[in-house]
Amino acid sequence: MGRRSFATRYFGPAPSRPELPRWLRGILPEGFSSRLLAAAIVVGIMVGLLVAILDFIVLELVLEPVLHMPLWIQILAPLFGLLLTRLILLRLGGGCSPSTSEEYISEFHNRHPAMELKPLRARLLGGIATIGTGGSVGLEGPSIYLGSAVGLRVQRVAERYLGWGTAKLLLTAGAAAGVSALFQAPATGLIFALESPYRDDVVHRALLPSLVASAASYLTFVSVPFIEHGPVLGFAYQQRLGAGELAGAVAIGVGAGIGGRAFARAIRFAKQLKVSHSPWRLAIGGGVALAALAGASQALFGEPLTLGPGVSILDWLGEAPALRLVVMLFFFRAAATIATVAAGGVGGLFIPLAMQGVLMGTVVGHALGWLGWGAEGAIWPMLGLAAFLAAGYRTPIAAVMFVAESSGGAAVVPALIAAAVSQLVAGSASVSLAQKVERLGHLETRFALPLASALATDVMTVPPDATVAEFVWNHAIGRRKRSLPVVDGAKYLGTCTIDAAAALNRDEWEHRTVASITVDDMPTARPSWSLRDAVAAMRSVNADQLAVTDDSGTFIGVVYESEIVKLGEILDQTEGV
């Protein structure tokens, strides 16, 4: 008897397509119900265990000893960590980017998602170096990235058992498991993984496997004995909602929308600096900035609160610091996170956004207290967290769920209001460069393809000094072309049509030139256009073709309506290949 495959030995031969309840068929790809959920459980268990190990290494073995070292070491540690991160990404990762959760979003939008082992290893080690030495980013980025990679690995190993169409589902399930384990908030992990790929959409078909993986990851993580259990951000609040709380939620939503938009733009700018600046110079500059911020933080706040993800801010706020110090720390923390990102540090932005929200909510709470509204003070940091996180990452449902899980379900209604208002004020801003606005159907996706996918460059043209007779007999009749672009050297002049020639008397054909009947008011396309732009332009003049030129009018080629139709037929036949 020959050797059986991994999937056959451990899961048995692939059975015939099972009968599914109608509600389940709407969520899952048909035929993969029990097998997909079993794989999701495996992903959840593996991710929960691996995130527990990563959490222990970064926070307990590396960051905790650093924070108990002499102050001068704490101040210089981020510089050393950023330089070490850059060296790791260059030598072990082959020069890969520091992206982590951004890689999950990017791969989600790829037709065939894949995560290679080499950059995975480098980014995880880079995350340990960045966060463990005090970089102002969160561990959720490496956790999401690790979970996504595990999901894809399980799918690849059991592909015959699961089918090709499950890669993106287990990628999402792994990301959900990563957030669930790290924050010990399974619902937050589920919703964040579903929301984050799009700014204004939610992934539906990955719901059930992500839910199962998130739950399995959470149960595995809390079962690990060497990890401290409980919500990462625990709030004590007894729900007493009144006009003050609801009005305050609106005020916080407005503030978070404005602050989240500014923060998101700064982060996106920081991520793009590597295009025009040396990574080593950025690492040194970012490390020096973090050292200066840590020193100033020690002098102003009594401890270097700009170091690390920032969860220690909650303890500092419990000491009721002066309002001016809270405002200063808000800007200090923002500057530290931006510097870490610009320097190429490896880490996530979930916790930094949450901490910005906590500080902003505290400031707004003080202001509302001055107005004599008398609202419960403990609610404001929670509402700020929900609103700022929703505005920065465009994940309002996940932000509200995180508040709900961190506070035992209190303050959900005002958190929803704050998150909704922040979404309206923030507009389209997001800290992610890879997010898309919304999920497109097959037709919309094809119309979004670049013009080059249907561009014909080897096309016949006619010079402006050719006679109409030459155009009719040699081109229109001889080449079966009803219209041709008129090109003088490389300059596009317009279009000559058989209809324009037919409008002339036959005896004029021999001495009238093509230039005299050229139509020069037809729209022209640019190479940067999409197929949607080209189709819209053709419809506006009832044409079946469109000339393509550059900005100076140099002729490049033609897009034919028939070629766009053929492209659609080819994509129909190759869908899923």
Side-chain angles (χ1 to χ4, degrees):
M1 181 181 298
R3 295 184 62 185
R4 295 181 295 170
S5 68
F6 175 89
T8 302
R9 283 189 288 129
Y10 287 96
F11 301 106
S16 59
R17 179 178 296 177
E19 290 294 328
L20 302 177
R22 180 176 298 178
W23 68 270
L24 192 57
R25 287 200 299 268
I27 297 176
L28 288 172
E30 285 193 40
F32 302 122
S33 57
S34 59
R35 299 193 286 288
L36 177 61
L37 295 185
I41 293 173
V42 172
V43 169
I45 294 173
M46 293 176 63
V47 173
L49 182 59
L50 291 173
V51 170
I53 295 173
L54 182 64
D55 180 276
F56 181 75
I57 292 174
V58 173
L59 300 183
E60 301 296 330
L61 296 186
V62 184
L63 182 59
E64 186 66 21
V66 168
L67 295 179
H68 286 85
M69 289 181 178
L71 179 61
W72 69 271
I73 295 180
Q74 295 183 51
I75 291 175
L76 294 178
L79 172 60
F80 170 77
L82 289 172
L83 291 174
L84 180 59
T85 298
R86 177 59 195 155
L87 184 63
I88 290 172
L89 295 178
L90 181 63
R91 298 299 183 187
L92 297 183
C96 65
S97 73
S99 303
T100 49
S101 54
E102 197 83 330
E103 285 297 307
Y104 157 64
I105 298 175
S106 296
E107 291 303 323
F108 180 91
H109 294 303
N110 283 342
R111 187 176 180 84
H112 301 290
M115 290 183 175
E116 301 297 330
L117 178 61
K118 188 175 182 179
L120 171 65
R121 177 182 57 193
R123 286 174 174 136
L124 291 179
L125 290 175
I128 295 172
T130 298
I131 304 169
T133 56
S136 299
V137 286
L139 191 54
E140 73 282 350
S143 299
I144 293 171
Y145 181 50
L146 176 60
S148 304
V150 170
L152 285 180
R153 183 61 182 173
V154 169
Q155 193 277 337
R156 181 178 297 180
V157 170
E159 184 172 7
R160 181 179 179 185
Y161 160 77
L162 296 171
W164 63 266
T166 56
K168 192 169 292 188
L169 299 182
L170 288 183
L171 171 83
T172 309
V179 177
S180 170
L182 183 68
F183 294 136
Q184 300 171 59
T188 301
L190 164 68
I191 297 173
F192 183 82
L194 299 181
E195 273 192 302
S196 57
Y198 301 98
R199 294 201 298 269
D200 297 318
D201 206 343
V202 175
V203 183
H204 172 64
R205 296 183 68 82
L207 173 61
L208 196 55
S210 297
L211 189 155
V212 171
S214 182
S217 177
Y218 167 77
L219 293 174
T220 302
F221 188 93
V222 298
S223 299
V224 176
F226 53 81
I227 294 296
E228 182 179 349
H229 303 144
V232 174
L233 303 178
F235 294 99
Y237 174 70
Q238 298 297 321
Q239 190 169 14
R240 293 195 302 273
L241 299 181
E245 284 82 1
L246 299 181
V250 174
I252 284 180
V254 173
I258 297 172
R261 173 182 287 195
F263 186 81
R265 287 182 177 177
I267 289 293
R268 292 168 71 91
F269 175 76
K271 289 181 177 181
Q272 294 171 334
L273 282 177
K274 62 183 179 182
V275 177
S276 55
H277 294 76
S278 165
W280 288 105
R281 289 182 179 179
L282 290 174
I284 294 173
V288 171
L290 288 176
L293 288 168
S297 175
Q298 176 69 32
L300 289 169
F301 315 125
E303 53 183 305
L305 292 175
T306 56
L307 297 179
V311 179
S312 59
I313 290 174
L314 294 178
D315 296 331
W316 179 77
L317 289 174
E319 300 172 2
L323 180 60
R324 64 179 180 81
L325 294 179
V326 179
V327 173
M328 293 179 67
L329 183 57
F330 176 88
F331 289 104
F332 272 47
R333 283 291 313 178
T337 300
I338 293 167
T340 304
V341 172
V346 177
L349 295 169
F350 190 106
I351 284 294
L353 281 167
M355 290 300 99
Q356 293 301 123
V358 166
L359 291 169
M360 191 213 67
T362 302
V363 172
V364 174
H366 276 282
L368 294 174
W370 289 340
L371 295 176
W373 285 8
E376 172 62 49
I379 194 176
W380 305 126
M382 288 189 291
L383 300 188
L385 184 155
F388 213 94
L389 183 57
Y393 238 129
R394 307 295 297 178
T395 54
I397 304 175
V400 173
M401 183 57 67
F402 187 52
V403 167
E405 291 189 295
S406 299
S407 63
V412 171
V413 173
L416 284 169
I417 294 173
V421 172
S422 73
Q423 290 286 285
L424 294 174
V425 176
S428 60
S430 172
V431 296
S432 172
L433 296 174
Q435 278 181 332
K436 295 187 177 181
V437 177
E438 59 186 355
R439 182 173 55 246
L440 299 176
H442 292 303
L443 183 60
E444 292 88 349
T445 302
R446 292 169 189 181
F447 273 179
L449 290 172
L451 192 68
S453 58
L455 174 64
T457 56
D458 186 17
V459 297
M460 179 163 291
T461 62
V462 59
D465 57 354
T467 65
V468 174
E470 290 173 335
F471 165 68
V472 172
W473 300 114
N474 297 338
H475 298 95
I477 295 178
R479 300 284 181 164
R480 311 297 192 272
K481 297 292 186 182
R482 295 187 59 85
S483 63
L484 282 177
V486 181
V487 179
D488 185 10
K491 187 75 172 179
Y492 173 74
L493 301 180
T495 302
C496 182
T497 67
I498 190 63
D499 293 334
L504 298 175
N505 292 326
R506 289 285 186 98
D507 55 3
E508 294 184 74
W509 285 7
E510 294 295 339
H511 62 270
R512 290 283 294 271
T513 63
V514 166
S516 66
I517 62 170
T518 295
V519 179
D520 58 4
D521 59 352
M522 297 283 286
T524 57
R526 296 292 181 269
S528 59
W529 282 20
S530 66
L531 292 184
R532 180 187 291 106
D533 300 325
V535 170
M538 282 189 270
R539 285 181 178 176
S540 68
V541 293
N542 195 26
D544 60 359
Q545 66 182 48
L546 198 64
V548 182
T549 68
D550 62 16
D551 292 335
S552 64
T554 301
F555 180 73
I556 296 175
V558 176
V559 172
Y560 298 100
E561 184 181 52
S562 58
E563 293 301 315
I564 295 177
V565 173
K566 288 179 183 178
L567 176 64
E569 294 173 351
I570 292 172
L571 290 173
D572 280 334
Q573 294 176 357
T574 59
E575 192 69 44
V577 177

